[in-house]
Amino acid sequence: KNEVEQSPQNLTAQEGEFITINCSYSVGISALHWLQQHPGGGIVSLFMLSSGKKKHGRLIATINIQEKHSSLHITASHPRDSAVYICAVGATGGSNYKLTFGKGTLLTVNP
Amino acid sequence: NAGVMQNPRHLVRRRGQEARLRCSPMKGHSHVYWYRQLPEEGLKFMVYLQKENIIDESGMPKERFSAEFPKEGPSILRIQQVVRGDSAAYFCASSPSGGTVGQFFGPGTRLTVL
């Protein structure tokens, strides 16, 4: 079983819809990252968080350390948000640089 | 301020050849990480380097793969005698320090082994 599980694997939405992508992990972590990967493209770091909530534009990330769960929300979704969203967790202790990744959620936003 | 640079973006090799992937970290970053993304799989940590030192290579295959980050110049991921199973996207990330400071990713090198 993967240490980092994302759901759903695939998500199709209409422009303007509110999107939620979930991430659950099974180990203690130092921080959780949300990343965005466009098809054939590079990876952009969206958020790094270890508690609470962060907001950047239409993107909101939350984390519940006790429940080992994080969500990424996109408000007023747009076709340009179509991408793979990846959750990654940093190990604890001296290896906190070492990221373990989920398999990603493929989001398609239709106009 | 240029981001993390990787080249080449696409690399095609025949079985048995060598592949050299280069990563130039962001200015002021002395910590480099290499990740591999196999088709239909998630990213996997390979190696963590600081200037002239390999800190953690626990994710590197034991044979044929090596990495370096010299005092001058980019970090190099070297794959000798490539096989078809090495076909993947290889991403490099850099950070100003280790630990929980965010890592900035490069655009990746897509290696295809014929």
Side-chain angles (χ1 to χ4, degrees):
Chain A
K1 186 179 186 296
N2 201 23
E3 290 179 346
V4 181
E5 296 281 350
Q6 287 186 235
S7 63
Q9 279 188 302
N10 295 282
L11 181 56
T12 301
Q14 288 301 121
E15 184 173 356
E17 286 184 359
F18 181 81
I19 304 291
T20 296
I21 299 171
N22 296 297
C23 175
S24 296
Y25 52 92
S26 57
V27 297
I29 65 168
S30 54
L32 184 142
H33 304 251
W34 281 104
L35 310 167
Q36 180 192 56
Q37 184 177 24
H38 283 279
I43 294 170
V44 174
S45 182
L46 299 175
F47 294 104
M48 183 176 76
L49 65 165
S50 52
S51 65
K53 177 179 174 179
K54 287 192 176 180
K55 184 175 189 293
H56 185 248
R58 295 180 294 104
L59 301 178
I60 303 165
T62 64
I63 188 168
N64 184 318
I65 296 293
Q66 286 73 31
E67 295 186 4
K68 294 187 167 60
H69 180 269
S70 175
S71 293
L72 177 68
H73 305 285
I74 305 175
T75 61
S77 59
H78 190 275
R80 65 174 174 265
D81 296 326
S82 298
V84 175
Y85 292 84
I86 302 168
C87 170
V89 298
T92 53
S95 299
N96 55 9
Y97 53 82
K98 189 181 287 188
L99 298 180
T100 301
F101 298 82
K103 290 190 176 181
T105 294
L106 174 60
L107 171 65
T108 304
V109 182
N110 294 317
Chain B
N1 185 17
V4 178
M5 312 278 283
Q6 287 188 250
N7 66 78
R9 295 292 307 275
H10 299 273
L11 182 61
V12 179
R13 285 286 177 266
R14 297 192 180 280
R15 280 181 297 171
Q17 291 184 318
E18 179 179 286
R20 280 186 181 240
L21 288 63
R22 286 177 289 277
C23 169
S24 297
M26 283 183 72
K27 191 175 179 181
H29 288 193
S30 59
H31 298 247
V32 165
Y33 316 82
W34 284 94
Y35 298 94
R36 179 166 66 172
Q37 187 177 40
L38 291 165
E40 308 303 321
E41 292 189 23
L43 287 143
K44 295 274 196 300
F45 168 82
M46 296 183 78
V47 62
Y48 165 33
L49 308 106
Q50 290 181 38
K51 283 283 186 182
E52 301 184 275
N53 289 305
I54 296 174
I55 307 302
D56 182 348
E57 55 181 350
S58 59
M60 289 270 275
K62 294 287 184 280
E63 296 177 352
R64 304 186 297 108
F65 284 71
S66 62
E68 62 176 8
F69 189 15
K71 189 177 179 182
E72 301 290 337
S75 175
I76 307 283
L77 179 68
R78 182 180 177 211
I79 312 172
Q80 296 178 287
Q81 299 175 318
V82 295
V83 300
R84 288 218 174 103
D86 297 332
S87 295
Y90 292 83
F91 289 92
C92 157
S94 73
S95 65
S97 60
T100 54
V101 175
Q103 298 177 19
F104 292 81
F105 283 79
T109 293
R110 275 151 185 84
L111 172 65
T112 301
V113 180
L114 301 177

